[in-house]
Amino acid sequence: MARDRKPPAHGNDANWERARRMFQSGAPEFVEAVRQLPNAAALATFAETWWTDPRIEAKRLLFTYLELPFNAPRHEVLVKRLFKFADTTGDDAVMSRFLTGFDRTIRRRRVTKVRYNHRRRENEQYEAVVTPSDTVLARDDRSYSGPWFTADRERFTAGKFLFNVATRNYLRRRAWRYFRRLGRQHPERYISAVCTALKLYTDADAPDGLALLDNWGLVHVLFHHSPVLDAKPTGWRVADGGSLSRLQPEPMFRKLWLRSAEPIFDLLVRARCRPVAMWAVQMLRKHFPERLTQLTLDELLEWLVSPSSVLNELALEVLEQRGGLERVTIEQWLRITEEARAHLLDRICELVARSVKPEQVTFADAVALAMQRPVPLARLGLRFLQGKKVNTAEEITAVFGLRNAECEPLRVDLVKWACEVLSSRTEFDPVWVLEFLDSRFEEVREVGWEWFQVEPRARDAVLVWQRLLESPYDNIRFRLVGMLEERINSRDGLAQLPPDRVRFLWAAVLLNVQRGSRAKPFVVRQVIDRLSANPDEAGDLLPMIAVSLRSVRGPEFRAGLAGVARFVAKNPTRRPLVEAVFPELQWS
């Protein structure tokens, strides 16, 4: 183990001592601690200590440090010395991190510029790609002292890097030069070394085409010989007449890549950057198509829920062309549909529908699918429910749950199926209709109302009527009054109905004064018509008329009074009862 050289004296000696103890113990917190130390002189001495430490913990901490952005203030000397050590000793793993890290330090921008057109004698705008020069961290030690910097360090260093732009361009070219030399002098190490680097790139390193080209080393590895691109000292450019849409794999050292499919396949599975994974897919299809035919069913199913969108799409493509999906259990499919990306569900559900028979799916699993929010899953659940019947109390309860189905476009279809399957049961309970008529969703209440009208076992149940009158929805109560009106005009007439049911309905509607129900004027007329046809019910009906007349205005009020007057004229013996109920009326 190399002798740990003590850093020079500095104002942050206490912090250095703390970081040194972390380094000796191999604590992961050391990396963040050393990044917060802007002591260039101390870091220069520490670089050799760190590099020559043979412990695996020291190398692990070095990897972590190099995989973070090169934006720790005053760390220029530490980064340069570590880079020189790795380049000189031929450490492929460390150089892979430098290749990736230096690529990330250059990000060009598209800007709009103005130039003077001498022929037209006017200014004109044009788009240009530039490398911002305001991305360099200040090198003044005083800029990184004080509690204000520690508290707001991320904002101070965001978008800024060590070294000026010219030096960063040089360092990333120098990092790629190492791998180019490696491919020529040690070809047996080249593929392994660049694959280590390629696995370090992420989607954040290539969010668009311009950012992809800013990865100098990455583009050399994957597209060095592409006629679509031109390499300039300041970065890659699209060649005249070229387009990134026509970019195809043209790697440096093609013959080395064509020796085996396994490194490329490993890149496909482990790459965290979509362009790298897409490159691997294209290479396999073009040069090693037989490797893709060796994929097992279990591998493809796992790829369906992989974080890599490239693996998702490739797995779906292969599964859609391959048979044998009957061996996949419904439990496996359910797990996949729960974990897969939302935009893949349509295609996955098509695979499930093609390979799974409805009788293989339990009632509970079918309902669970139907209750999902994504339309493809709910549609698949409804497909599996078709033809099933409810046999247990638990299944009936599950059917009621469909009134709260999260998939709005299919909610009505699911509730209609529920009504049909419940009506088919011989042990029918009329109260079941209330589960849908009391739903918080209006469309579910509409389906429930249609079911209530066509299902005689529910329509003529007194208990159902009584509970419906407790509904908080005015339109339900208004429709109940409308049904009574229809029965009044029917051949049998409302008089055939038990008086208690009629009085209960009218009282519940009329007493809902505070909610301003539109049913009140309509029911006033019904009550008076009932009173005229059944004078013996005056004791029960007149109080309701009194309440209703105090809650309506205009023609309904006058019509109500006229109805009461006609009743007294036709039944003079009932006048004392009317006077008791309406003491404010003056009789001539």
Side-chain angles (χ1 to χ4, degrees):
M1 177 177 175
R3 182 168 56 90
D4 185 11
R5 301 180 182 179
K6 185 178 180 181
H10 190 268
N12 290 327
D13 281 345
N15 292 334
W16 260 111
E17 184 61 26
R18 175 173 169 269
R20 189 185 67 81
R21 289 196 301 270
M22 289 182 180
F23 178 73
Q24 292 297 333
S25 65
E29 293 79 11
F30 161 76
V31 173
E32 186 57 32
V34 77
R35 281 172 57 85
Q36 294 183 10
L37 296 174
N39 186 344
L43 290 168
T45 304
F46 180 68
E48 184 176 355
T49 300
W50 198 352
W51 181 259
T52 57
D53 193 319
R55 294 177 301 154
I56 190 172
E57 292 84 359
K59 181 60 70 72
R60 186 181 299 115
L61 292 174
L62 180 59
F63 286 169
T64 303
Y65 176 82
L66 296 177
E67 289 171 13
L68 292 173
F70 292 148
N71 63 355
R74 306 300 285 121
H75 279 230
E76 292 90 348
V77 64
L78 175 61
V79 172
K80 274 191 173 181
R81 290 195 176 189
L82 291 174
F83 179 63
K84 184 176 181 180
F85 290 146
D87 190 11
T88 304
T89 59
D91 193 315
D92 298 343
V94 174
M95 287 301 295
S96 295
R97 276 129 182 113
F98 274 117
L99 180 71
T100 307
F102 288 145
D103 271 359
R104 289 169 177 159
T105 62
I106 297 292
R107 284 297 176 265
R108 292 172 291 179
R109 302 173 188 166
R110 298 185 187 277
V111 298
T112 301
K113 291 189 173 183
V114 178
R115 62 188 172 191
Y116 185 74
N117 189 320
H118 293 276
R119 184 168 56 183
R120 296 182 179 180
R121 296 185 178 181
E122 62 182 13
N123 290 329
E124 62 181 13
Q125 294 183 342
Y126 68 98
E127 187 180 79
V129 176
V130 300
T131 303
S133 58
D134 59 347
T135 58
V136 184
L137 284 171
R139 301 192 65 178
D140 183 1
D141 286 341
R142 291 173 297 179
S143 301
Y144 310 110
S145 60
W148 65 271
F149 172 73
T150 304
D152 205 14
R153 179 171 178 271
E154 289 188 8
R155 186 182 67 82
F156 189 85
T157 60
K160 298 182 181 297
F161 298 95
L162 302 173
F163 313 111
N164 58 39
V165 173
T167 301
R168 280 182 260 158
N169 275 318
Y170 166 76
L171 288 172
R172 65 178 188 168
R173 292 197 303 269
R174 179 71 178 270
W176 163 243
R177 187 188 308 167
Y178 172 89
F179 289 94
R180 185 180 61 194
R181 185 173 65 246
L182 190 67
R184 292 170 178 168
Q185 299 177 2
H186 303 281
E188 70 282 357
R189 290 163 46 195
Y190 173 79
I191 297 298
S192 175
V194 295
C195 282
T196 300
L198 292 174
K199 293 172 190 175
L200 294 173
Y201 291 94
T202 67
D203 286 334
D205 297 322
D208 52 40
L210 181 59
L212 172 64
L213 298 185
D214 284 336
N215 295 291
W216 178 261
L218 172 71
V219 176
H220 269 296
V221 173
L222 304 181
F223 308 107
H224 175 83
H225 295 293
S226 174
V228 174
L229 304 177
D230 282 338
K232 303 294 182 181
T234 56
W236 288 95
R237 298 285 192 275
V238 178
D240 293 339
S243 171
L244 289 180
S245 62
R246 301 204 304 266
L247 193 61
Q248 296 293 321
E250 294 289 348
M252 186 78 165
F253 304 109
R254 179 200 305 270
K255 292 182 179 179
L256 299 181
W257 284 106
L258 297 183
R259 288 179 178 178
S260 171
E262 292 312 311
I264 303 175
F265 184 82
D266 187 60
L267 269 183
L268 169 64
V269 177
R270 300 182 185 276
R272 297 183 294 164
C273 181
R274 180 177 172 85
V276 175
M278 287 297 299
W279 177 89
V281 170
Q282 293 172 341
M283 285 288 289
L284 289 172
R285 285 174 171 167
K286 183 176 181 179
H287 301 289
F288 303 99
E290 69 283 354
R291 183 62 182 86
L292 295 178
T293 63
Q294 299 171 9
L295 294 171
T296 66
L297 182 58
D298 289 338
E299 283 180 316
L300 293 171
L301 294 178
E302 287 300 320
W303 286 6
L304 287 178
V305 295
S306 168
S308 169
S309 59
V310 176
L311 291 181
N312 300 155
E313 295 161 5
L314 180 61
L316 276 171
E317 180 183 331
V318 175
L319 288 172
E320 287 169 346
Q321 301 172 358
R322 176 183 291 190
L325 296 181
E326 296 78 10
R327 295 188 289 109
V328 183
T329 65
I330 186 59
E331 289 76 17
Q332 288 177 287
W333 284 123
L334 289 176
R335 179 186 64 83
I336 291 171
T337 55
E338 290 176 0
E339 300 177 10
R341 299 171 188 262
H343 70 278
L344 301 175
L345 288 177
D346 268 322
R347 296 172 66 184
I348 293 176
C349 288
E350 289 178 6
L351 289 176
V352 179
R354 189 180 72 187
S355 58
V356 177
K357 298 179 180 179
E359 54 268 22
Q360 296 176 262
V361 184
T362 66
F363 192 91
D365 287 340
V367 171
L369 275 175
M371 292 292 293
Q372 298 298 312
R373 182 183 297 274
V375 174
L377 295 182
R379 185 182 297 116
L380 184 63
L382 179 59
R383 178 182 181 274
F384 287 146
L385 285 173
Q386 300 295 336
K388 293 186 182 295
K389 295 183 178 181
V390 291
N391 299 311
T392 65
E394 290 77 11
E395 292 179 350
I396 293 175
T397 301
V399 170
F400 291 153
L402 293 175
R403 70 187 184 277
N404 295 321
E406 296 189 34
C407 180
E408 184 176 352
L410 290 179
R411 189 181 293 137
V412 169
D413 293 334
L414 289 167
V415 172
K416 286 183 177 179
W417 173 85
C419 295
E420 291 176 3
V421 75
L422 290 172
S423 288
S424 65
R425 285 187 58 84
T426 54
E427 301 88 359
F428 179 82
D429 188 344
V431 179
W432 288 346
V433 299
L434 299 176
E435 297 289 342
F436 305 105
L437 288 171
D438 290 340
S439 171
R440 57 194 174 99
F441 299 110
E442 184 176 355
E443 64 269 24
V444 174
R445 296 197 301 271
E446 291 293 331
V447 176
W449 181 258
E450 294 175 5
W451 187 31
F452 173 67
Q453 288 182 302
V454 301
E455 176 53 68
R457 291 171 291 183
R459 189 179 62 242
D460 295 329
V462 175
L463 182 59
V464 173
W465 281 69
Q466 291 175 337
R467 293 191 180 180
L468 279 179
L469 293 173
E470 301 171 1
S471 171
Y473 306 106
D474 287 341
N475 61 337
I476 295 296
R477 295 191 301 273
F478 182 75
R479 288 175 176 178
L480 290 175
V481 174
M483 289 182 68
L484 282 178
E485 179 73 7
E486 292 177 2
R487 296 194 181 192
I488 289 175
N489 298 326
S490 66
R491 180 176 302 177
D492 296 334
L494 190 60
Q496 301 299 322
L497 292 176
D500 59 334
R501 288 173 58 185
V502 179
R503 286 194 295 271
F504 185 79
L505 170 65
W506 284 332
V509 176
L510 293 176
L511 289 177
N512 192 26
V513 175
Q514 70 277 11
R515 302 193 60 172
S517 173
R518 294 178 300 168
K520 288 182 295 183
F522 184 57
V523 177
V524 168
R525 187 174 70 253
Q526 285 192 345
V527 176
I528 290 178
D529 291 344
R530 173 81 182 192
L531 180 64
S532 300
N534 301 273
D536 294 339
E537 298 181 11
D540 294 321
L541 298 179
L542 283 173
M544 289 197 299
I545 296 176
V547 173
S548 63
L549 290 182
R550 294 186 181 102
S551 65
V552 296
R553 298 292 183 268
E556 291 81 9
F557 179 77
R558 291 190 291 273
L561 288 181
V564 173
R566 287 195 301 271
F567 174 76
V568 172
K570 187 177 180 181
N571 303 278
T573 59
R574 307 285 182 179
R575 180 169 176 171
L577 178 58
V578 174
E579 291 177 342
V581 176
F582 296 94
E584 67 272 24
L585 293 181
Q586 300 295 323
W587 301 88
S588 58

